[in-house]
Amino acid sequence: MPIQLYRHAVSGHSHRVQLMLSLLNLPCELVDVDLLAGAHKAPAFLALNAFGQVPVLQDGDVTLADSNAILVYLASRYAQPGTWLPTEPVAAAQVQHWLSVAAGPLAFGPAVARVIQLFQRPTDPADAMARATQLFGVMEAHLQQSDYLVGSTPTIADIANYSYTAHAPEGNVSLEPYPQIRVWLARIEALPGFVPMVRSRIGLLV
């Protein structure tokens, strides 16, 4: 059976896994989970992920939740050793650093700013937008020294940070001040097998 990816089309966490599967040329079945209808809280889905979150990956008898954990699994199991997930200690640690960034500043900055717009939440986006600006300033400076987040070739660090960065304008966070980030995004988008995430006409894209 093909790999199954339980996802939501506008979820950046889901997209990073879909993108990794495509870059590795792994056939998969996309199973859409209706978050608005509460399908992620239904018993059948909670049996896959007790936290009630997408994405979830099923690969034979392996069931995994958490997008970053899934990226580690896919790179470890299906990629050439040391490519998408370096084995050299310093590079491996640097990848882990950027996975933590994806789970922290990225998730609570541009991702939250986008969610506020996407679901028209009454939350003040100022804090999330400020975190996004701070993060992108750090990323911009880092990418002045390196083509990718870790080293001279793409890793899962780039995939983990791509989706919510690319879609930051949907949360009213402009990428115009960050030319190196925009060049980096274009590098990812030029990779063989790249698949985009659907764009929502919200925020700066209205």
Side-chain angles (χ1 to χ4, degrees), residues 32-88:
D32 288 311
V33 179
D34 191 344
L35 303 185
L36 295 180
H40 57 307
K41 302 300 182 183
F45 188 83
L46 291 174
L48 299 175
N49 179 10
F51 288 102
Q53 298 170 332
V54 292
V56 172
L57 185 91
Q58 283 194 307
D59 184 12
D61 59 356
V62 174
T63 300
L64 289 172
D66 183 86
S67 58
N68 287 346
I70 295 170
L71 292 182
V72 170
Y73 168 78
L74 292 174
S76 299
R77 180 162 184 175
Y78 291 108
Q80 290 293 322
T83 53
W84 288 99
L85 181 59
T87 55
E88 191 276 321

Side-chain angles (χ1 to χ4, degrees), residues 192-203:
F194 173 82
V195 290
M197 183 168 75
V198 62
R199 293 201 174 273
S200 302
R201 294 298 168 184
I202 56 175

Side-chain angles (χ1 to χ4, degrees), residues 15 19 23 84 139-140 143 146-149 154 158-159 161-163 165-167 175 178-196 199:
H15 176 257
L19 175 56
L23 292 171
W84 288 99
M139 289 179 68
E140 178 73 10
L143 289 166
S146 177
D147 286 348
Y148 296 97
L149 291 177
D158 300 288
I159 306 310
N161 284 277
Y162 169 82
S163 304
T165 301
H167 290 257
L175 295 175
Y178 311 108
Q180 295 304 318
I181 289 179
R182 289 186 279 113
V183 169
W184 167 72
L185 293 173
R187 288 192 187 102
I188 304 303
E189 291 159 6
L191 294 173
F194 173 82
V195 290
R199 293 201 174 273

Side-chain angles (χ1 to χ4, degrees), residues 107-189:
F108 292 100
V112 166
R114 176 176 174 269
V115 163
I116 291 170
Q117 297 298 319
L118 188 63
F119 297 107
Q120 298 182 331
R121 294 183 177 175
T123 310
D124 185 347
D127 286 347
M129 294 175 70
R131 284 191 288 269
T133 300
Q134 182 182 29
L135 168 63
F136 290 162
V138 172
M139 289 179 68
E140 178 73 10
H142 179 76
L143 289 166
Q144 289 175 354
Q145 310 299 322
S146 177
D147 286 348
Y148 296 97
L149 291 177
V150 179
S152 59
T153 57
T155 67
I156 60 172
D158 300 288
I159 306 310
N161 284 277
Y162 169 82
S163 304
Y164 286 123
T165 301
H167 290 257
E170 296 174 15
N172 284 317
V173 179
S174 175
L175 295 175
E176 286 303 312
Y178 311 108
Q180 295 304 318
I181 289 179
R182 289 186 279 113
V183 169
W184 167 72
L185 293 173
R187 288 192 187 102
I188 304 303
E189 291 159 6

